[in-house]
Amino acid sequence: MQWHIDHSTVLGSRLQYTHFRGTPLASNTLHSIPAPQHLYPVLVLRRTMPMPLFFDFQDTAEYVSGRTRAHLSYCLLPPWSYHMSKQCLTNGVLRILRLCGKPSDGIPGHTHIFCHRSEANDLALRLARCYTGHQDVVVLDHAYHGHLSSLIDISPYKFRDLDGQKEWVHVAPLPDTYRGPYQEDHPNPAEAYANEVKHLIAAFFAESLPSVGGQIIPPAGYFSRVAEHIHRAGGLVVADEIQVGFGRVGKHFWAFQMQGEDFVPDIVTMGKSIGNGHPVACVATTQAVSRAFEATGVEYFNTFGGNPVSCAVGLAVLDVLEKEQLQAHAASVGNFLMELLSQQKAKHPIVGDVRGTGLFIGVDLIKDEAMRTPATQETEYVVSRLKDKHILLSADGPGRNVLKFKPPMCFSLDNAQYVVAVLDDILTDMEEKLRSCETLRIQP
């Protein structure tokens, strides 16, 4: 399945269009980016605020990781200025850019809706509730899905420090096989974790790979089993791909595809990576879900949805992803980076776990090997030392002890070698001088 440019009427909204790049929009114009299987998505791009186009890192950071907005690289932004100026001059009334794939496996078609960042997840929540008739939502522990009030309510990462957990929110454990209740020695961790949502009637809302939760790689089969439980209870499965989609995981274009061909979410949300720093996002769902929302008669519209600037930016990003084969690049460089970091795990006892795929990798730092106590202060120290070397990483996870590697997709083999060499020097120095926890005092 491939994305293609099309135009249509969305949920009763009027469609206005003129030309794109000087030629009329045509429904048979193909843009060969794989679409989520079984979904018929329409990608609508949006701008809501001005963004800087040029960044000078000569005096700041040499390497930036963990900022998935800059999916390709900050240095690839200048071509947008050409597209922006051209589109604003020639396509002032362009309203919608629709990127969709051919329906397959019995799905007759799909109508899609415009949105941006947190709006994508907010709209997904509205769609799920409208279709199922349920208010309740199941989320993963320590999840974060956006800054709107509706999303703070389903983000344990936030609501525990604010108004607390609402009665209609059900929190399932992170499918973490390193630190969670069902670890690598469990005979079937996927089944065990999935059974935690078995008796909850609700929509299930989760990142395909939990990021804020600590760069978690769920065990194979987990989401398929969850989907069985949720669908049996009349709910829907929402996959949040905002940080992990668009080829970042290397083997697949969408992170949820890592769970196998038998798993297809009912709703997929996307953002950040689409715009490479420009604020754009979208939602994809099945026709049945979309029609149920339309039947309410409550029109959804978006003032800035599909504006020409955002359309140009989105197509520019897709062009670069395809032409420079960045998904394959992420797989290659990611495997190399995982190998280098695994060598650090063997060398430095403080590195308890290295997990990831493609350019989505977490390094879990621990105080002791027996209890795997999060090395929170030591991780903060590492991040600060890396910053002194002009390398920007940050920490995630419930214990704020997981170094997250999510660099731009142009991150190279040389970049990986340099960053890991600096990390090695810092950990070695900590073992020689800091010695603040058991794992820094163990001689490997």
Side-chain angles (χ1 to χ4, degrees):
M1 188 184 298
Q2 296 177 327
W3 297 107
H4 77 272
I5 303 169
D6 198 359
H7 42 270
S8 178
T9 299
V10 178
L11 298 185
S13 299
R14 290 185 178 182
L15 170 69
Q16 294 176 296
Y17 64 92
T18 52
H19 295 71
F20 189 79
R21 292 183 179 172
T23 58
L25 286 172
S27 61
N28 62 350
T29 304
L30 292 180
H31 198 94
S32 56
I33 296 295
Q37 188 181 10
H38 302 299
L39 299 181
Y40 191 59
V42 180
L43 176 63
V44 182
L45 307 164
R46 173 186 177 185
R47 176 190 66 79
T48 59
M49 59 185 291
M51 295 288 289
L53 289 181
F54 301 96
F55 295 82
D56 183 1
F57 286 105
Q58 295 300 316
D59 298 321
T60 53
E62 294 183 47
Y63 299 95
V64 181
S65 179
R67 306 298 288 175
T68 50
R69 297 179 190 87
H71 193 53
L72 308 179
S73 168
Y74 290 107
C75 63
L76 294 175
L77 288 173
W80 295 2
S81 59
Y82 166 77
H83 288 297
M84 286 179 177
S85 60
K86 182 177 180 181
Q87 291 302 321
C88 287
L89 288 171
T90 62
N91 299 326
V93 298
L94 180 64
R95 290 285 297 156
I96 299 172
L97 173 65
R98 185 184 180 198
L99 303 178
C100 57
K102 297 179 181 179
S104 63
D105 295 342
I107 301 297
H110 158 78
T111 305
H112 186 51
I113 305 154
F114 332 126
C115 50
H116 159 64
R117 290 183 175 178
S118 290
E119 289 177 324
N121 284 336
D122 178 73
L123 184 55
L125 186 60
R126 292 175 59 189
L127 286 169
R129 284 173 167 169
C130 178
Y131 183 79
T132 65
H134 300 314
Q135 181 77 3
D136 291 28
V137 177
V138 182
V139 295
L140 294 178
D141 200 5
H142 210 71
Y144 174 66
H145 294 291
H147 60 76
L148 299 181
S149 295
S150 61
L151 303 178
I152 294 295
D153 286 344
I154 63 170
S155 298
Y157 173 70
K158 292 291 186 182
F159 70 57
R160 287 198 172 109
D161 294 326
L162 296 172
D163 297 330
Q165 183 174 339
K166 300 293 192 295
E167 62 180 12
W168 48 267
V169 176
H170 309 275
V171 180
L174 273 169
D176 182 355
T177 57
Y178 180 70
R179 184 173 277 104
Y182 311 110
Q183 298 182 4
E184 63 270 20
D185 58 351
H186 192 280
N188 193 343
E191 181 75 19
Y193 278 116
N195 284 338
E196 295 287 341
V197 303
K198 189 173 183 178
H199 304 293
L200 300 176
I201 300 175
F204 179 76
F205 213 113
E207 286 186 284
S208 300
L209 298 177
S211 178
V212 174
Q215 309 293 97
I216 303 299
I217 307 296
Y222 168 71
F223 279 106
S224 297
R225 295 295 294 146
V226 166
E228 291 178 13
H229 297 322
I230 294 296
H231 288 158
R232 192 177 298 121
L236 297 181
V237 175
V238 182
D240 182 337
E241 290 269 334
I242 289 173
Q243 295 205 56
V244 295
F246 292 88
R248 173 164 295 280
V249 300
K251 295 180 181 179
H252 303 282
F253 197 75
W254 307 109
F256 71 76
Q257 292 172 317
M258 293 175 60
Q259 291 287 312
E261 295 181 358
D262 60 336
F263 171 65
V264 180
D266 301 293
I267 302 174
V268 180
T269 61
M270 315 163 212
K272 291 189 177 182
S273 303
I274 302 174
N276 194 43
H278 185 88
V280 294
C282 77
V283 176
T285 189
T286 63
Q287 187 180 46
V289 173
S290 181
R291 293 304 183 198
F293 187 84
E294 183 179 5
T296 66
V298 180
E299 182 185 38
Y300 180 88
F301 63 91
N302 191 304
T303 303
F304 295 106
N307 72 81
V309 173
S310 295
C311 293
V313 169
L315 282 181
V317 170
L318 295 179
D319 282 339
V320 173
L321 281 171
E322 180 181 7
K323 292 176 181 177
E324 299 189 11
Q325 300 180 323
L326 292 181
Q327 180 182 335
H329 178 80
S332 175
V333 176
N335 288 339
F336 181 66
L337 181 55
M338 281 285 290
E339 180 182 343
L340 294 178
L341 291 170
S342 296
Q343 292 171 8
Q344 295 301 301
K345 180 178 182 295
K347 182 178 180 180
H348 302 288
I350 194 173
V351 179
D353 190 35
V354 175
R355 52 184 176 260
T357 177
L359 291 176
F360 178 89
I361 297 173
V363 177
D364 197 314
L365 303 186
I366 57 174
K367 286 181 175 289
D368 57 85
E369 294 180 332
M371 300 300 295
R372 299 177 176 179
T373 306
T376 305
Q377 292 76 21
E378 289 76 13
T379 303
E380 183 179 359
Y381 178 81
V382 170
V383 169
S384 178
R385 288 285 302 275
L386 286 168
K387 183 179 179 181
D388 292 339
K389 297 292 184 179
H390 305 283
I391 299 172
L392 301 184
L393 266 71
S394 57
D396 258 331
R400 302 293 294 175
N401 67 303
V402 181
L403 296 173
K404 59 178 181 180
F405 288 79
K406 289 185 293 185
M409 297 281 276
C410 62
F411 194 73
S412 69
L413 297 175
D414 288 342
N415 296 154
Q417 283 184 313
Y418 177 78
V419 170
V420 175
V422 174
L423 178 61
D424 183 21
D425 290 342
I426 293 171
L427 295 179
T428 299
D429 186 63
M430 291 172 66
E431 290 166 349
E432 294 174 352
K433 300 176 182 178
L434 193 61
R435 301 174 64 82
S436 58
C437 62
E438 178 183 313
T439 50
L440 288 177
R441 295 188 290 269
I442 297 174
Q443 293 300 317

